[in-house]
Amino acid sequence: MIHWLILLWCLVALPSIAETDAQRETQKIQPHDIHLMADMAVMHEGRIKPMESVARATFRKVAGRSAPDDISALEWFVAAAFTPSVAMTQEVIAMGSAPLKAWLGFADDKRKNFSFLETASALDARLPVLQKMMDKPAADQSSLEKEIIGLYAAVQDYSHLLTSLTLMLPDRFTLSPALQTQLGLEKKDSYTYLEIYRHADFFMNALKKIRAKKNNVALYTAQEMNIAQISYALSGMTATGDGNTFLRVVPTGAEWSSLWQLVNDGKGAPHYRALMEQWKKLAWLYYHHHPQQWRETLANLKRETGKLSPQPLNTLALEVFYHHANLYAWAAALYGVVFALILLPLPANTSANKPARIPFHQYIFAAAVVCHALSIVLRMIILGRPPVSSLYESLLFVSLVLAVITFVVGRQRALYMAAGSLFCAFLLLISPVYAPAGDSMGVLVAVLNTRFWLATHVVCITVGYAVAFLAGILAHLHLWKKETVLPELLRSMALSALLFTSVGTMLGGIWADQSWGRFWGWDPKENGALLIVLWLIWLLHGRMTNMLQPRAFAAFLACTNIMVAVAWLGVNLLGTGLHSYGFTNAAGVGFVAFCVAEMIIITFLFFRSRHHAS
Amino acid sequence: MLLKYLTHPSLVFFVLPWIMALLVAGTVVQPAMGIYQAQKFFFEGFVFWLGPVPLPGMFSLLVLLATSLSAKILFTSTFSWPHSGTWLIHAGALLLLVGGLVTSLTQQEGSMLLAPEETKNIFDDYYDKELVINKNGDDVVRIAFARAAAMKGDDFRALVPFDMSVTKACHNCDVVQDQNNTVRLVARPHEKDAEKNLAGVQLRVQGRDMLVVQGMPAHVSAYQHGDDIYHVSIHRKKHALPFSIRLLSFSPSFHPGTHVAREYASVIEVADGALTWQTAIRMNEPLRYKGYTVYQASFVEGDGPSSSVLTIVKNEGRVLPYVATGVMLIGFVLHLWMRRRGRA
């Protein structure tokens, strides 16, 4: 547990940037200078990421949203590290539920966001209770307790960010000329922690002697007061820096180290020291407004870091591009445009079998598919693994497969394109719900850490989901207007869906046999996949034996969408079994809403088609 | 006539909804019931008891499907090129079901905890337990717990030279003390995590009550008969391996700066008679030898180096799902291709 109060005190004592003369305003470090830090390498949660990714993930964790209103996440991140005394009073920490606020004593406060200062003080006063909550096994924690622990983790990360560079921020310590001479320091107005921390023992001993002589602070001379303050500040900062591994920017091996670790663990090799000096210089330039030199130093720092890194750093810029381009949003928007273009100008009674009047939408659809595919390819390059390893990624991938098949099979048919684009847009739009902590592109737990099975089983089963969805969508269209989709096509689609889902499920069994020692274990995710397979087998046999008339077959095939939703997303809500990697709480409501809506729509379509038939 | 009904596709149409219903129910109750219990109740019986009403259980339905598939493949569907795809798909499905049957009949599954430099050639079953009677330090009687639970005095007469019978048995027990200071066994509901169940029996030995619960120290249930000292205990059933395993080292490796494991690996030495060799077991890379498959399951942290927990499985039907997957894949591809050609 961090002693927040020590930390707060250390931060308060830091200076803010000197606002001297007006002419300097033009020479200040501008946002575009800050953004040069975007592709700076940081080891974060097991992977080397550009600072852009770390900033986004941290802001999401602290503030519960993707970016601040007025500045970018990166600007917020850099400002927090370089000017913590300013950042600590800014109201960014998201204070979720009313019970949480009440627990922290903010019951009557209407604000949604609180400053670090307020939150940390409130948490500090409740540390013993908090500790008890954290000692409980996760299964026994109430939802409020989970929220409190989540807040604590976020505030802890934030505190580590705030103190990540304090050891080299300038203007921290002012020493009297006598002390400067006594310690043999270069004559300066002020010093950083780094410049004087080696003399910590001197200050401690001096303070001890003073205390032995005088037991009342009021009697201290100016010199003695100076010594006392420096002594407290040094030990306080050392305590907050101890264990601060947040901003790992120094490649000291596969693990990388934070700047505090370099000092505390005594990793003083000359090349690390050189990097440290560059960071110190960067901090000084930030405080004293030298944009030109800031840019040069930063470029130099990145180059030197790259030279020392044991891992290649060649995808950092790509990852920054990935964040900025936000290709999924573009793809979702373009799918939406396609849908609008097709449906809006055309009334429902236009024959959809005719080639579309506006072939223009095909280009837009193609552009959407390109954006969509490109972003998945970028992910694969950045992460160096096959496209699907989490629920969130499966949504991105399934919608791409859906889009590609729609384009290949149905680009001549406006109605297919409309349905396909609507569904793709829908899947892309709901995907963030399944990445509640943001898309941090995390590392994989051991059992998933296998490219072969991710590439075979997972891809096969997700393609199966996509084809099953497509079969379901076509069945909707068939019910809506019989002649748009021939029954033969419905059967082919159901059969193809069965191929991918059954083979995918069996490959999953083989993977399970390889890693857990059993082919089949009746785990919820396995049962879900089996449910789709059995459902499709049932449908096909029902149709074959005429037990299901064509219209009933179409209606049940349309229900395949619900089955897929159950197998793919629904079983994760059960939160049990070996497969439950995608923990989702808020997603439950959306899932139930989808199923209910589908049932209503299908029932409506079924009776409507019966009416038309008679 | 029977053959016609048995092989007609509508059989599948009528059987599957019931299987799907069992599947959904057995999945939904898992968080409340625990995976092992849910599996036993919904997926493993020949009869499914809905309250007092007996309904066909999953095993019966699967056997019915397997019989139907075999009859279809053997008698009614003649192999021809245009139907080769469907034939193969059905053959693959049958292979899967047969694989499941062989697995449920022959599978041994258990775990082995190995400290560094420790050598073992036995492993503990995950679920099956046994009652062991030890005489002067030697195990003289081993009986499967399920059988021991039903044993009467006569059954023990051939095994021990004194009167002994089981008066009470439970698969998950508590020991309670009543007002008269006598302790007795009380059955508890099954744990969600089946491995946490503690089996126990209450014995009557020469007119005296004796309690034996899994994990209890052996001396508690000691009985002296003449010069001989007997201990009764309940253990997880032990299986012997035809080879031994020595743990040379265990190393979890983590993603840098996190507690997320990237990989677990046990470096082991396998000894079979005079033959010894070294190998490593990792996640997704088990050791296969003499019909046994040894997996990296987990590890136990201690003061010194961590101990490794290995899962050991013997399953005669292990290959069948692999073959079935291949057969079905080929079947599907052929079938779809034939359909395309048929339409063209």
Side-chain angles (χ1 to χ4, degrees):
Chain A
M1 286 252 172
I2 286 205
H3 300 287
W4 302 100
L5 287 178
I6 298 179
L7 170 71
L8 291 172
W9 184 77
C10 292
L11 289 179
V12 172
L14 277 165
S16 49
I17 292 188
E19 300 283 347
T20 47
D21 34 305
Q23 71 184 42
R24 273 217 178 140
E25 199 57 26
T26 52
Q27 291 177 3
K28 260 179 117 170
I29 308 270
Q30 301 292 326
H32 59 84
D33 298 317
I34 300 291
H35 279 275
L36 293 175
M37 293 200 89
D39 61 346
M40 183 91 220
V42 185
M43 172 61 82
H44 182 247
E45 291 178 349
R47 187 167 73 82
I48 297 172
K49 301 175 184 177
M51 195 174 280
E52 177 77 36
S53 296
V54 183
R56 283 171 185 244
T58 311
F59 187 80
R60 156 94 52 178
K61 192 168 178 182
V62 170
R65 51 207 168 97
S66 54
D69 299 329
D70 43 353
I71 52 172
S72 70
L74 182 66
E75 288 167 53
W76 167 82
F77 188 84
V78 172
F82 281 95
T83 51
S85 57
V86 180
M88 66 190 290
T89 55
Q90 283 167 351
E91 295 171 356
V92 284
I93 298 173
M95 200 65 63
S97 66
L100 177 66
K101 274 171 135 180
W103 188 78
L104 284 169
F106 299 139
D108 301 326
D109 206 320
K110 292 265 182 310
R111 288 174 301 155
K112 281 185 184 153
N113 296 295
F114 288 72
S115 72
F116 177 78
L117 194 61
E118 298 166 286
T119 318
S121 316
L123 282 171
D124 200 46
R126 293 161 179 79
L127 275 186
V129 190
L130 188 59
Q131 184 66 58
K132 272 193 200 122
M133 289 178 192
M134 290 167 67
D135 291 343
K136 279 195 209 173
D140 298 343
Q141 290 163 355
S142 71
S143 61
L144 173 63
E145 287 172 340
K146 285 202 176 96
E147 206 183 347
I148 293 169
I149 293 167
L151 176 74
Y152 175 76
V155 173
Q156 194 164 36
D157 267 12
Y158 193 22
S159 80
H160 283 154
L161 167 63
L162 289 170
T163 50
S164 55
L165 300 180
T166 46
L167 71 169
M168 47 192 47
L169 297 184
D171 309 336
R172 179 63 186 81
F173 295 96
T174 319
L175 272 66
S176 66
L179 273 175
Q180 292 182 19
T181 323
Q182 195 175 351
L183 294 172
L185 292 168
E186 181 194 348
K187 299 273 179 201
K188 279 209 282 188
D189 292 343
S190 63
Y191 298 87
T192 64
Y193 172 86
L194 266 185
E195 286 163 332
I196 60 163
Y197 80 98
R198 283 195 199 80
H199 304 293
D201 285 346
F202 164 83
F203 286 103
M204 288 294 191
N205 291 332
L207 182 60
K208 250 186 224 161
K209 278 181 203 152
I210 297 167
R211 272 191 182 152
K213 268 194 293 184
K214 301 174 179 172
N215 56 3
N216 187 350
V217 184
L219 301 174
Y220 285 13
T221 64
Q223 167 95 349
E224 286 168 343
M225 201 63 180
N226 192 208
I227 288 174
Q229 278 170 348
I230 291 170
S231 178
Y232 283 130
L234 274 180
S235 59
M237 286 178 78
T238 307
T240 57
D242 193 27
N244 188 343
T245 59
F246 181 72
L247 200 62
R248 293 168 185 252
V249 287
V250 186
T252 49
E255 293 264 322
W256 291 53
S257 299
S258 70
L259 296 161
W260 274 109
Q261 279 175 293
L262 277 192
V263 174
N264 292 338
D265 305 349
K267 286 181 179 148
H271 41 288
Y272 301 146
R273 207 140 268 292
L275 274 190
M276 185 96 122
E277 284 304 316
Q278 303 263 3
W279 275 97
K280 201 173 120 191
K281 192 171 168 195
L282 209 59
W284 192 88
L285 295 167
Y286 186 91
Y287 271 74
H288 295 92
H289 312 302
H290 293 288
Q292 180 58 34
Q293 280 171 277
W294 158 276
R295 289 190 283 267
E296 287 162 11
T297 310
L298 195 52
N300 201 10
L301 182 56
K302 284 194 248 179
R303 204 168 40 242
E304 294 303 316
T305 308
K307 274 190 211 158
L308 287 179
S309 168
Q311 299 98 333
L313 302 179
N314 42 22
T315 58
L316 293 175
L318 209 59
E319 193 170 334
V320 176
F321 169 76
Y322 175 89
H323 285 301
H324 284 296
N326 203 0
L327 289 165
Y328 295 118
W330 279 102
L334 289 173
Y335 289 131
V337 170
V338 172
F339 181 72
L341 273 181
I342 296 171
L343 280 208
L344 290 185
L346 302 178
N349 61 3
T350 308
S351 168
N353 274 333
K354 268 197 282 180
R357 269 183 215 156
I358 322 159
F360 186 54
H361 72 251
Q362 287 187 23
Y363 293 104
I364 301 180
F365 196 94
V369 172
V370 169
C371 285
H372 197 161
L374 186 61
S375 60
I376 287 181
V377 170
L378 282 180
R379 276 189 89 89
M380 289 169 67
I381 295 172
I382 292 165
L383 296 172
R385 65 186 187 219
V388 187
S389 61
S390 68
L391 204 52
Y392 171 70
E393 288 179 331
S394 73
L395 279 148
L396 304 180
F397 186 71
V398 165
S399 49
L400 177 66
V401 174
L402 210 56
V404 170
I405 301 178
T406 305
F407 191 76
V408 171
V409 178
R411 67 177 174 282
Q412 299 296 341
R413 301 185 180 192
L415 203 55
Y416 286 16
M417 293 284 270
S421 54
L422 178 67
F423 227 82
C424 291
F426 171 72
L427 287 178
L428 284 182
L429 288 177
I430 64 159
S431 63
V433 178
Y434 291 91
D439 177 19
S440 62
M441 300 202 263
V443 291
L444 297 178
V445 295
V447 70
L448 287 180
N449 204 359
T450 145
R451 287 191 193 148
F452 178 74
W453 291 110
L454 284 178
T456 50
H457 157 64
V458 179
V459 167
C460 190
I461 197 88
T462 38
V463 168
Y465 289 163
V467 178
F469 258 130
L470 203 62
I473 296 168
L474 290 177
H476 281 73
L477 293 181
H478 177 82
L479 287 174
W480 175 256
K481 219 166 165 42
K482 217 161 97 185
E483 56 278 13
T484 50
V485 184
L486 298 172
E488 192 54 24
L489 180 62
L490 285 188
R491 279 172 77 163
S492 291
M493 286 308 298
L495 203 57
S496 311
L498 181 60
L499 180 152
F500 285 105
T501 49
S502 60
V503 173
T505 306
M506 284 157 74
L507 285 173
I510 292 177
W511 183 9
D513 182 61
Q514 297 281 334
S515 63
W516 297 323
R518 87 285 186 291
F519 178 78
W520 194 258
W522 302 105
D523 173 287
K525 198 81 190 173
E526 293 169 343
N527 295 351
L530 179 63
L531 184 67
I532 301 184
V533 173
L534 295 179
W535 175 256
L536 291 168
I537 294 176
W538 182 72
L539 281 177
L540 286 165
H541 283 81
R543 184 68 209 97
M544 196 169 89
T545 53
N546 243 351
M547 294 283 180
L548 292 176
Q549 297 296 314
R551 238 191 18 251
F553 174 74
F556 281 119
L557 188 59
C559 291
T560 306
N561 284 359
I562 300 177
M563 296 293 166
V564 175
V566 167
W568 183 19
L569 309 174
V571 288
N572 290 299
L573 300 173
L574 287 173
T576 171
L578 294 161
H579 271 96
S580 47
Y581 310 117
F583 304 100
T584 46
N585 280 332
V589 181
F591 165 73
V592 173
F594 173 80
C595 293
V596 171
E598 268 290 43
M599 275 184 208
I600 295 171
I601 292 171
I602 293 165
T603 314
F604 166 75
L605 287 174
F606 179 71
F607 284 105
R608 185 178 165 278
S609 71
R610 200 164 78 168
H611 177 75
H612 278 235
S614 56
Chain B
M1 187 66 178
L2 178 72
L3 194 65
K4 192 185 149 205
Y5 282 118
L6 190 63
T7 57
H8 198 268
S10 59
L11 180 113
V12 174
F13 183 76
F14 289 116
V15 169
L16 280 189
W18 185 230
I19 293 186
M20 285 191 272
L22 282 177
L23 190 65
V24 171
T27 310
V28 171
V29 299
Q30 279 188 15
M33 212 175 182
I35 193 163
Y36 180 74
Q37 280 304 309
Q39 191 172 326
K40 276 248 175 284
F41 190 69
F42 286 93
F43 307 140
E44 286 191 350
F46 282 98
V47 181
F48 174 74
W49 292 95
L50 191 69
V53 188
L55 294 167
M58 188 66 99
F59 273 3
S60 314
L61 297 166
L62 293 181
V63 167
L64 180 61
L65 279 184
T67 317
S68 163
L69 276 168
S70 322
K72 180 181 157 65
I73 287 166
L74 288 177
F75 302 119
T76 57
S77 65
T78 41
F79 188 87
S80 65
W81 264 117
H83 294 111
S84 56
T86 32
W87 192 89
L88 281 175
I89 295 170
H90 286 97
L94 179 61
L95 275 177
L96 262 188
L97 288 172
V98 172
L101 178 72
V102 174
T103 300
S104 70
L105 291 178
T106 66
Q107 174 153 283
Q108 292 176 5
E109 191 182 7
S111 66
M112 180 191 275
L113 173 70
L114 273 177
E117 295 304 322
E118 193 180 7
T119 307
K120 273 190 188 167
N121 66 349
I122 44 170
F123 64 97
D124 297 331
D125 199 281
Y126 270 140
Y127 307 113
D128 292 345
K129 291 164 186 174
E130 57 190 7
L131 185 115
V132 180
I133 302 176
N134 180 295
K135 179 185 172 187
N136 300 328
D138 294 322
D139 292 348
V140 286
V141 178
R142 290 177 172 278
I143 321 160
F145 179 77
R147 199 164 76 82
M151 278 175 49
K152 296 276 167 284
D154 292 342
D155 303 322
F156 280 107
R157 203 145 294 148
L159 305 172
V160 286
F162 45 86
D163 276 351
M164 179 167 154
S165 65
V166 176
T167 50
K168 181 164 190 175
C170 40
H171 289 276
N172 190 26
C173 315
D174 248 351
V175 178
V176 293
Q177 195 165 23
D178 59 20
Q179 289 127 338
N180 311 328
N181 266 348
T182 48
V183 283
R184 58 198 173 82
L185 222 49
V186 174
R188 282 161 50 87
H190 285 267
E191 303 290 331
K192 272 190 212 171
D193 185 353
E195 282 183 58
K196 289 191 181 142
N197 286 334
L198 294 179
V201 286
Q202 189 160 338
L203 300 169
R204 189 118 187 119
V205 181
Q206 295 285 72
R208 252 181 54 201
D209 278 332
M210 181 194 279
L211 292 186
V212 185
V213 178
Q214 209 185 333
M216 213 164 77
H219 65 85
V220 180
S221 54
Y223 177 73
Q224 185 153 12
H225 182 76
D227 290 339
D228 299 323
I229 295 181
Y230 289 84
H231 293 293
V232 186
S233 56
I234 298 171
H235 296 290
R236 282 163 59 181
K237 187 176 175 187
K238 299 206 182 306
H239 298 285
L241 283 174
F243 53 91
S244 67
I245 299 174
R246 187 156 78 99
L247 181 65
L248 299 178
S249 71
F250 169 74
S251 52
S253 68
F254 296 93
H255 288 290
T258 67
H259 299 294
V260 181
R262 179 167 52 193
E263 190 186 87
Y264 304 114
S266 291
V267 180
I268 55 164
E269 188 181 79
V270 185
D272 184 6
L275 214 61
T276 62
W277 70 97
Q278 281 187 15
T279 182
I281 300 175
R282 296 189 176 86
M283 267 304 184
N284 299 322
E285 283 177 38
L287 160 78
R288 299 183 200 285
Y289 185 60
K290 289 202 164 171
Y292 289 86
T293 314
V294 185
Y295 304 86
Q296 182 68 52
S298 129
F299 65 101
V300 178
E301 277 177 307
D303 293 336
S306 302
S307 298
S308 179
V309 180
L310 303 175
T311 293
I312 298 172
V313 179
K314 186 185 188 190
N315 176 6
E316 307 288 353
R318 208 183 70 84
V319 219
L320 287 173
Y322 288 71
V323 180
T325 308
V327 168
M328 270 176 120
L329 179 62
I330 296 167
F332 270 115
V333 171
L334 266 180
H335 183 59
L336 283 166
W337 186 54
M338 291 292 175
R339 263 172 75 96
R340 257 186 100 87
R341 257 193 13 170
R343 257 183 291 158

